[in-house]
Amino acid sequence: MTVRVRFAPSPTGYLHIGGARTALYNWLFARKHGGRFILRIEDTDQKRTVRGAIEAIMDGLRWLGLDWDEGPDVGGPYGPYIQSQRAALYREWADWLLAHGHAYKCFCTADELKARRAAQKAARGDQGYDRRCRALTAEEIAAREGLGLSYAVRFKAPLEGATVIPDVIRGDIIVPNAQIADAVLLKSDGLPTYHLANVVDDHFMAISHILRADEWISSAPLHINLYAAFGWDHPIYAHLPLVLNPSGKGKLSKRTQAFDDGGREVLVKVEEFRDAGYLPQALTNFLANVGWAFGDDREQFPIAEAIPRFRLEDVNPAPTRLPYEKLEWLNGQWIQDMTPLELAQAVKPFLDRQGYEIGAEALLAVASSLRVRLKKLTDAADFLKFLWDDGGTAAPAADRLGHAKLPGDAARRGLQAARQYVADAQPFDADTLAAGLTAIGEAHTSTGKAGPFLGVLRLAVTQQDVSPPVFESIVALGRERALARLDTAIALIEE
């Protein structure tokens, strides 16, 4: 068997984090077996389709590094890969089902169905479709068509027995056929529902395995029976575990934006994670762990290393919460693994977006020290505020420019010596500054240790409590701006 799997989002909005997990598992499975990963857009619900959503979904997948082998933009032998462009195929197979007695025409209007549901609800009865049109005779059907009445095509679900859904993750799922509704396959406007389009497309695109969220288990009996009616073999099913809110309370719903869950902001769109400063390799690493484990007690790994280990049989069917605190830890680990140049390149767009102008050389000077301090790329702004804020950042109070082991006069003399050294240092780099300024600190503290002085020096130069190390900060500021900061600190002490 050639493994062919698909990720089939509806373009009704953004790429949801739960959908991204589904796409990732499909991608891993295809890459593990040398198969094909297909992107199919299921846009049969035209009323809810959002302009630009297809491009947004594809952008999100690309950012995550999930490339597809066939799809709307790359083509393939089984296209088109947008369902609205395949309407004739669905009509053909809906007619086939009618002709072979597996479906029937339903002339019930939306208002009639609504009224019947209300009556059923009032009587506390079954609110499903009552199969009223299933028993229409050929003459009754012809009469309604003669009046020009529109109709939907409904599937004739089996009324007795049970349907078995073989599932790689969950084992056999057995559903009594009495629970399977006569679902609409083709709407009165001629467009297919998800059920018909899904089954027809999976067959004609030669899909071998269906890896999808467990919310679709309820649809699986209908789909299994549709395959049987067509006389087609159904793909192998694997329903992925439910994704819960970070608190573990409730399903992570498809909200349109971030929301509060027990005091924690919960992101739901892939683009929200990107904009919040998470790395794509950290997010795929995180999502791979939501229901599956790499093994060897290892939580951080490149997704490429997960490919040979990934097995559907190892996916835990139990609902899994999204531990966002683990994501922050993972993101910090991936940031630490970046080179200074990679980190500088990754951080700069976030600073630019916030309107902070910082040169590439200055950013590169502090990038190495930032690696161990950042959980997210957006955190960089708080550390680096001193680089662009010469007037808005308040200078430290004079009484803070000292230390128990560095009295005021010693602090003043030390800062004066540091100023002279910074003015003359050649080359003007962190190593040169470290050697000279450390020696100055040792000479001006009562214990002969440089730590207290370097802390005062860092506060004088950066004017903030949390910042990169002082030597890199001076280089990033540049000689002239660093000297100006030192002059301000010395004047405060003298006053």
Side-chain angles (χ1 to χ4, degrees):
M1 177 189 298
T2 299
V3 167
R4 291 178 57 81
V5 295
R6 45 69 167 177
F7 177 56
S10 173
T12 54
Y14 53 91
L15 178 59
H16 186 270
I17 191 65
R21 198 276 302 265
T22 298
L24 172 63
Y25 278 22
N26 275 278
W27 182 88
L28 283 169
F29 188 73
R31 298 295 174 255
K32 162 75 178 285
H33 295 283
R36 307 281 284 178
F37 174 57
I38 294 100
L39 176 62
R40 184 173 76 217
I41 303 299
E42 299 193 338
D43 62 340
T44 56
D45 190 347
Q46 290 288 298
K47 292 180 180 178
R48 295 178 59 223
T49 296
V50 175
R51 179 178 297 180
I54 295 176
E55 292 75 15
I57 289 169
M58 291 195 293
D59 285 346
L61 292 173
R62 289 192 192 98
W63 180 73
L64 290 170
L66 304 182
D67 57 323
W68 49 96
D69 304 297
E70 301 171 26
D73 57 333
V74 298
Y78 298 97
Y81 294 90
I82 298 178
Q83 284 187 337
S84 59
Q85 299 173 10
R86 300 168 64 86
L89 183 65
Y90 309 133
R91 174 83 253 183
E92 174 187 348
W93 286 97
D95 288 342
W96 188 95
L97 289 171
L98 287 169
H100 288 78
H102 298 299
Y104 60 95
K105 297 176 180 179
C106 176
F107 296 89
C108 299
T109 67
D111 288 341
E112 289 171 343
L113 293 172
K114 182 178 180 180
R116 266 182 248 155
R117 278 195 297 270
Q120 290 168 334
K121 184 176 182 180
R124 299 179 181 272
D126 181 8
Q127 296 178 41
Y129 178 62
D130 58 10
R131 295 188 165 100
R132 182 166 304 193
C133 291
R134 181 164 173 158
L136 292 177
T137 64
E139 291 76 14
E140 290 173 324
I141 293 172
R144 284 165 171 74
E145 289 182 317
L147 294 173
L149 299 181
S150 61
Y151 63 86
V153 176
R154 287 185 181 270
F155 181 60
K156 281 187 179 179
L159 303 177
E160 300 177 349
T163 297
V164 179
I165 304 106
D167 190 289
V168 177
I169 295 174
R170 301 164 190 277
D172 287 351
I173 302 170
I174 302 174
V175 179
N177 286 336
Q179 297 180 8
I180 306 175
D182 284 5
V184 172
L185 302 179
L186 201 71
K187 293 175 284 189
S188 58
D189 61 5
L191 289 175
T193 62
Y194 165 80
H195 305 295
L196 176 64
N198 173 275
V199 168
V200 169
D201 283 346
D202 284 344
H203 174 72
F204 284 101
M205 291 183 181
I207 300 301
S208 64
H209 295 72
I210 295 177
L211 283 60
R212 61 185 182 184
D214 70 350
E215 64 191 62
W216 295 109
I217 290 177
S218 60
S219 299
L222 168 62
H223 299 168
I224 290 280
N225 282 290
L226 265 173
Y227 280 107
F230 284 128
W232 301 336
D233 292 333
H234 63 76
I236 297 170
Y237 285 91
H239 288 94
L240 306 177
L242 180 69
V243 178
L244 303 176
N245 290 324
S247 65
K249 298 177 181 178
K251 172 187 172 184
L252 184 67
S253 61
K254 292 187 177 180
R255 299 171 185 255
T256 57
Q257 59 186 12
F259 66 98
D260 181 87
D261 177 45
R264 168 185 284 274
E265 183 186 40
V266 178
L267 308 179
V268 292
K269 306 179 189 178
V270 167
E271 63 189 55
E272 287 176 337
F273 288 88
R274 180 187 61 201
D275 293 345
Y278 290 100
L279 297 170
Q281 56 267 46
L283 191 54
T284 53
N285 183 173
F286 170 70
L287 290 174
N289 288 329
V290 180
W292 178 81
F294 184 89
D296 301 332
D297 293 326
R298 186 175 167 193
E299 296 197 46
Q300 183 189 1
F301 49 84
I303 204 63
E305 292 185 18
I307 292 173
R309 290 175 174 250
F310 186 77
R311 294 187 341 129
L312 292 177
E313 294 83 356
D314 296 334
V315 175
N316 188 338
T320 306
R321 76 179 187 92
L322 281 180
Y324 279 15
E325 68 280 0
K326 184 62 66 65
L327 173 58
E328 289 189 2
W329 174 81
L330 274 173
N331 205 59
Q333 296 299 304
W334 279 102
I335 288 175
Q336 288 185 38
D337 290 343
M338 301 176 82
T339 66
L341 179 58
E342 288 171 338
L343 181 56
Q345 291 172 332
V347 163
K348 193 164 191 323
F350 289 91
L351 300 177
D352 291 343
R353 189 190 316 156
Q354 295 176 69
Y356 301 139
E357 295 184 9
I358 176 171
E361 290 186 7
L363 190 53
L364 193 57
V366 295
S368 182
S369 61
L370 280 180
R371 287 184 299 180
V372 297
R373 289 168 168 79
L374 301 185
K375 292 296 184 184
K376 298 182 291 184
L377 297 177
T378 47
D379 296 341
D382 288 337
F383 287 108
L384 303 180
K385 188 161 42 178
F386 72 96
L387 290 177
W388 55 79
D389 194 348
D390 280 317
T393 301
D399 60 1
R400 298 185 63 203
L401 293 170
H403 190 277
K405 299 173 182 177
L406 189 70
D409 191 54
R412 177 183 59 79
R413 287 185 283 106
L415 290 177
Q416 287 175 332
R419 188 204 186 284
Q420 188 60 51
Y421 186 82
V422 170
D424 298 335
Q426 292 295 341
F428 188 70
D429 59 29
D431 289 340
T432 302
L433 293 171
L437 295 175
T438 299
I440 291 172
E442 292 170 347
H444 286 81
T445 55
S446 59
T447 60
K449 294 183 179 179
F453 171 74
L454 295 179
V456 169
L457 179 62
R458 184 179 62 79
L459 183 61
V461 169
T462 67
Q463 300 180 345
Q464 55 191 61
D465 293 315
V466 181
S467 67
V470 63
F471 314 122
E472 288 88 343
S473 295
I474 292 173
V475 173
L477 270 174
R479 197 190 305 268
E480 295 306 315
R481 293 177 68 201
L483 292 175
R485 300 280 178 92
L486 287 170
D487 287 339
T488 298
I490 294 167
L492 283 171
I493 295 176
E494 290 176 342
E495 290 174 2

